[in-house]
Amino acid sequence: MLAESEDVDMPLSESLASEVMESQVHHLDDGHVVDFLRNIPVRDTPKEQVRQRIMRVLFHEYQITPEDMEADFPIRANVNGKARTKKVDIAIFAPGQEHTAENLRRVVTCKPEPKRAKNVVKLRTLDEARSEMDELQALLGAEDQPERNYGMWTDNVDFFFLQKVSTRFGADYLVRHDWPLADGTIGSGQAASNTQLRRAEPEMLKITFRRCHNYIHGNEGRSKDAAFWQVLYLLFAKMYDERAARQGRQRRFYVSMTEPYDDEGRAAIRERITDLFEDVKRQYADSGLFKANDEISLSDRALAFIVSELAPYDLGLTDIDAKGLAYQEIVGTNLRGDKGQYFTPRGAVKLMIDILDPQEDETVLDPTCGTGGFLHATLTHLHHRMQAEDETLGLPDSPEQSERYRDRLRKYADEHLFGADFDPDLVRATAMNIMTLAGTPGNVYYMDSLGFPRGHLSGVAEAGKRIPLARDGHPGVVDVVLTNPPFGADIPISDESVLGDFRAGVAKSWSRDKRTGQLVESANAPTSMSPEQLFVQRAIEWLKPGGRLGIVLPNGILSNPGPSDEGLRRFILKECYVLASVELPVETFIVDANVNILTTLLFLKRKTTDEKIAEELNGPVSYPIFMAVAEKVGFDRRGNDLYKRHPNGDIVMETYEETEYITRKGVRHTKVIKRNRPEIDNDLPVIAEKYADFRSVYPIPGIDLRAVRKAGA
């Protein structure tokens, strides 16, 4: 069975080779995967996992079409002085040409991903990979195959590249840090600054960020924390350089193919990057992102490695979801706190964003932003809305679209996007996270949100001007609050200077009347409270009337029968309408946050003063509330994917499309391929759809004050 494949908007004379087939994969046995090239089931082995990932990278990053690739292609190769038949794991042929040895242009060798130690991952040097280089050299052949000139070896941890260059006396095999696009050229020296950059494939960008971090941590012996910040400095410099290049300035974040391999080349890289980073620090001197003593402190060898890994990518053109995934790859494992902090899983974040649906003219705040997951997801949500307006969903953004979207996101982040945290490292990480999407660090404040608007931390004063609490006569400016506050009785808030601000709200003691069972306020106020209880009130106080809140809470707050939790629920119902409640399974936080806890996503709308008065006079109004229980979130407790299955146990398959721009002879074409894959068993997207259906029937609750006044008259 072959795959469906089609070309869109192509001049017929320059159409890419493709075939349109009707076959599909309707059944997949356990222990198999769907082959990217042929759309047929193949055995799922560690090596096959690497090969399938690389084939997708070749298509999306290097613009090599599936029709020009073949797996396990046999060739004659000279191995240890003897001619033998060897199979090329991925053979790449001249575009549109017959798959023959004469038309073979590139070879890829794939090996199973090694099991490495959890704490230190050391990448191999070229000297340690001589056997791999010899294997590639044998597959590339001698000078009698002059056009078979590029080779890659990978096990998904290490990547090695060779270029064969024919000479009068035979062939030279030159080590490279990369290879060009399908119709690109490598370039050398200063010309490398004009080499075509490529859009990153999501999984490969994650691997790249991980390799950068691992090289500093494992090969340089630096701590994980130091490695993390060095990568972030260079990532920030890379994005700054891309923006400068778009404005017509000379690129500085680049390497030629040979620079990383000799002292002179590494010194040239350091000179460029040091100069670039000083410009970055000057540009953002007033933002608090960089300290005066921040510097690129890597060795020349490590710096050359990191720059060579990041330089080929155009992060501005790279899909916004891919950048989010890659950023969290290094952030999540380095900035987990010990103060009740754990970062909200992406699936839960997306569901909360989908339900609250922030608009481009609405202000969004996360007062416990961590590494910026909610703020990042808000920008992603708006970006997808922009694509929908252009009716380009599923297509990669063109350079023109990317620039337009980036300008709109930058304006939004500067004017409407706010975050806060009391961990200065998280504040910096969030600002850099926003920078990857919007080209601006946005508004992220170093402060204690429970102590706000008081406090000594540096972000309090500015936050007081931009996002004041909606109380004491101020109507507030925040339309949407999204937050996952720190949980737990083991991190209580006992400072009276903080608790005193909540005495009129949730910081009360409650008991039950022994005769009636009714809830009554106790005379003695509590001397400590769990932070999540206080954050419910503070989040509501930040909302302007009619504003919306999405908050992650431990299940007990909403279900425990005790008087303390019931008192909190009473406060919520007095101040807000309940829009929705979604209970999550324990797997949600076990895998992504390593926390064994049952949680609920609670969605609220703040009542206006008139609505609260109307309820006091006429009694509470009845309205429908959306409620759901998610049983599956796409993975089990070990993080393994969960697939939907038919009643007989067969895995359910779905058809999907992958789209990429392919450039041939300077002309850009749109290439669409159709494939089949197992369907993930995840209730969260279904819940988002059901909520939208619910709201189409039942509008967001509120009181028609005109009707109330008329009835009173």
Side-chain angles (χ1 to χ4, degrees):
M1 288 178 284
L2 295 177
E4 286 189 71
S5 179
E6 57 183 286
D7 307 311
V8 180
D9 299 331
M10 290 188 183
L12 191 60
S13 60
E14 297 185 11
S15 176
L16 300 176
S18 65
E19 298 175 86
V20 180
M21 299 295 176
E22 298 181 355
S23 301
Q24 293 186 351
V25 178
H26 299 288
H27 169 75
L28 187 69
D29 292 326
D30 288 321
H32 288 74
V33 295
V34 179
D35 180 45
F36 180 73
L37 297 186
R38 298 167 293 166
N39 205 40
I40 63 172
V42 295
R43 289 192 63 80
D44 183 9
T45 65
K47 175 178 176 176
E48 195 61 50
Q49 292 172 7
V50 173
R51 175 157 57 183
Q52 293 299 322
R53 189 173 298 123
I54 295 302
M55 288 190 292
R56 184 166 277 105
V57 170
L58 293 173
F59 173 54
H60 286 292
E61 289 197 5
Y62 294 97
Q63 302 186 7
I64 298 169
T65 66
E67 292 83 7
D68 294 329
M69 291 186 259
E70 184 174 330
D72 293 326
F73 182 75
I75 63 171
R76 298 292 289 175
N78 190 320
V79 180
N80 297 325
K82 296 181 180 180
R84 296 179 179 175
T85 298
K86 296 282 291 183
K87 287 185 177 180
V88 179
D89 292 325
I90 306 174
I92 301 167
F93 302 89
Q97 299 301 307
E98 185 180 357
H99 292 193
T100 64
E102 292 71 27
N103 292 327
L104 183 60
R105 297 293 179 264
R106 310 188 192 201
V107 298
V108 181
T109 296
C110 300
K111 300 295 183 183
E113 184 170 342
K115 294 182 179 180
R116 302 291 178 98
K118 291 183 179 180
N119 295 325
V120 178
V121 177
K122 186 176 185 298
L123 303 184
R124 288 186 298 165
T125 65
L126 284 171
D127 289 338
E128 294 169 329
R130 281 302 160 196
S131 62
E132 287 78 6
M133 297 296 98
D134 291 343
E135 183 177 0
L136 275 185
Q137 184 171 323
L139 294 176
L140 288 175
E143 66 276 8
D144 56 339
Q145 292 109 10
E147 294 186 303
R148 188 192 305 174
N149 50 8
Y150 288 112
M152 176 200 300
W153 187 100
T154 181
D155 59 6
N156 208 48
V157 172
D158 292 310
F159 290 79
F160 300 110
F161 296 88
L162 275 186
Q163 180 188 8
K164 184 181 71 178
V165 178
S166 298
T167 68
R168 292 178 56 190
F169 306 104
D172 290 335
Y173 300 88
L174 309 178
V175 176
R176 300 298 190 222
H177 73 83
D178 198 2
W179 62 8
L181 305 185
D183 65 345
T185 56
I186 281 187
S188 60
Q190 185 64 19
S193 65
N194 298 315
T195 301
Q196 182 179 0
L197 303 185
R198 64 180 188 263
R199 189 192 316 268
E201 190 271 339
E203 190 63 28
M204 193 64 213
L205 191 61
K206 281 177 58 177
I207 293 170
T208 298
F209 281 20
R210 190 188 310 145
R211 277 166 52 81
C212 291
H213 182 270
N214 287 345
Y215 192 93
I216 301 171
H217 181 44
N219 292 53
E220 294 280 294
R222 305 285 291 272
S223 69
K224 290 179 66 175
D225 182 66
F228 168 75
W229 288 110
Q230 289 293 300
V231 172
L232 252 60
Y233 294 161
L234 289 170
L235 181 60
F236 210 88
K238 162 67 173 168
M239 293 182 293
Y240 177 87
D241 187 62
E242 285 187 11
R243 188 169 64 183
R246 289 193 295 270
Q247 296 170 349
R249 282 176 278 177
Q250 182 68 40
R251 278 172 52 196
R252 284 175 284 177
F253 203 103
Y254 70 87
V255 298
S256 74
M257 284 294 173
T258 59
E259 277 184 328
Y261 304 109
D262 60 62
D263 292 341
E264 183 179 353
R266 293 167 186 153
I269 293 171
R270 175 170 293 282
E271 183 177 358
R272 289 195 299 270
I273 300 304
T274 300
D275 180 62
L276 174 63
F277 189 60
E278 289 303 313
D279 282 357
V280 170
K281 289 169 63 177
R282 282 191 290 270
Q283 176 71 28
Y284 296 99
D286 298 329
S287 69
L289 280 177
F290 298 99
K291 303 171 186 175
N293 60 348
D294 285 341
E295 62 179 357
I296 306 298
S297 57
L298 302 173
S299 69
D300 285 358
R301 185 184 296 270
L303 179 60
F305 178 87
I306 307 303
V307 176
S308 66
E309 288 288 301
L310 297 176
Y313 290 119
D314 187 330
L315 295 178
L317 272 180
T318 292
D319 181 76
I320 198 168
D321 295 296
K323 287 185 284 192
L325 288 170
Y327 192 83
Q328 288 302 318
E329 173 69 22
I330 58 171
V331 169
T333 58
N334 286 280
L335 291 183
R336 298 190 191 279
D338 56 2
K339 303 169 186 175
Q341 305 152 299
Y342 46 87
F343 305 127
T344 318
R346 287 195 313 274
V349 169
K350 187 177 187 309
L351 176 61
M352 294 174 72
I353 293 286
D354 287 344
I355 285 180
L356 293 183
D357 190 22
Q359 305 295 303
E360 201 169 344
D361 61 349
E362 291 186 317
T363 293
V364 172
L365 164 69
D366 181 356
T368 58
C369 64
T371 58
F374 285 116
L375 305 181
H376 185 288
T378 298
L379 292 170
T380 301
H381 180 76
L382 295 175
H383 181 261
H384 290 326
R385 184 184 297 279
M386 295 170 193
Q387 290 175 316
E389 292 171 357
D390 286 348
E391 298 182 345
T392 60
L393 284 176
L395 290 171
D397 294 340
S398 67
E400 298 77 20
Q401 288 171 327
S402 291
E403 189 67 25
R404 186 168 72 251
Y405 298 159
R406 194 163 40 242
D407 287 344
R408 290 173 65 179
L409 291 177
R410 183 184 303 117
K411 185 175 187 296
Y412 179 83
D414 284 338
E415 298 177 4
H416 294 292
L417 196 67
F418 296 88
D421 206 282
F422 61 7
D423 185 325
D425 285 341
L426 294 180
V427 169
R428 297 175 78 195
T430 294
M432 292 184 181
N433 194 354
I434 295 170
M435 182 75 179
T436 63
L437 305 188
T440 177
N443 311 280
V444 190
Y445 303 123
Y446 175 35
M447 68 183 196
D448 178 359
S449 291
L450 291 181
F452 183 81
R454 295 182 295 275
H456 66 284
L457 301 181
S458 60
V460 173
E462 184 64 20
K465 299 175 186 176
R466 300 290 302 277
I467 48 170
L469 296 176
R471 68 179 190 187
D472 302 329
H474 196 288
V477 299
V478 178
D479 298 280
V480 178
V481 172
L482 289 150
T483 190
N484 177 12
F487 294 174
D490 56 340
I491 49 170
I493 305 298
S494 56
D495 186 345
E496 182 58 32
S497 66
V498 174
L499 285 177
D501 211 23
F502 296 86
R503 292 299 185 196
V506 301
K508 300 177 179 180
S509 292
W510 299 91
S511 61
R512 294 195 186 279
D513 186 285
K514 294 181 179 179
R515 184 175 59 85
T516 65
Q518 295 296 312
L519 198 67
V520 293
E521 184 178 348
S522 301
N524 297 323
T527 57
S528 67
M529 294 190 70
S530 298
E532 68 269 21
Q533 296 173 307
L534 302 180
F535 266 109
V536 169
Q537 177 177 332
R538 181 46 41 90
I540 293 172
E541 289 177 329
W542 245 306
L543 288 172
K544 65 184 183 184
R548 311 184 301 285
L549 165 64
I551 186 169
V552 183
L553 294 172
N555 276 5
I557 281 183
L558 303 181
S559 59
N560 285 347
S564 176
D565 288 320
E566 184 177 338
L568 181 59
R569 294 195 290 269
R570 178 178 290 188
F571 173 84
I572 291 172
L573 293 173
K574 176 186 175 184
E575 297 293 329
C576 299
Y577 298 110
V578 178
L579 302 179
S581 173
V582 179
E583 186 174 325
L584 300 178
V586 70
E587 289 85 353
T588 311
F589 280 86
I590 283 181
V591 173
D592 282 349
N594 196 30
V595 176
N596 190 350
I597 188 170
L598 285 169
T599 55
T600 292
L601 310 180
L602 184 65
F603 301 89
L604 307 172
K605 174 191 172 187
R606 187 174 191 183
K607 295 174 182 176
T608 65
T609 300
D610 285 347
E611 286 173 331
K612 288 192 287 186
I613 292 173
E615 285 195 337
E616 289 176 3
L617 295 175
N618 302 284
V621 298
S622 297
Y623 57 90
I625 298 173
F626 179 87
M627 304 190 75
V629 177
E631 296 180 343
K632 298 175 182 177
V633 288
F635 46 80
D636 63 19
R637 290 180 176 228
R638 293 185 176 87
N640 300 315
D641 288 338
L642 284 180
Y643 301 120
K644 291 184 178 179
R645 293 181 181 269
H646 294 290
N648 65 357
D650 290 345
I651 296 173
V652 176
M653 304 299 292
E654 64 178 356
T655 300
Y656 70 102
E657 292 183 351
E658 293 196 28
T659 307
E660 192 52 74
Y661 292 129
I662 304 293
T663 302
R664 293 290 184 269
K665 301 178 181 178
V667 178
R668 189 180 69 184
H669 309 281
T670 303
K671 179 73 174 177
V672 180
I673 62 172
K674 294 182 180 179
R675 293 292 186 266
N676 298 108
R677 66 186 173 197
E679 188 173 352
I680 295 292
D681 198 357
N682 184 1
D683 292 337
L684 301 186
V686 178
I687 290 173
E689 293 173 3
K690 295 298 183 183
Y691 179 80
D693 293 342
F694 177 84
R695 283 288 163 234
S696 68
V697 177
Y698 303 104
I700 289 179
I703 295 178
D704 185 346
L705 295 173
R706 291 172 299 179
V708 170
R709 294 188 185 103
K710 184 176 180 181

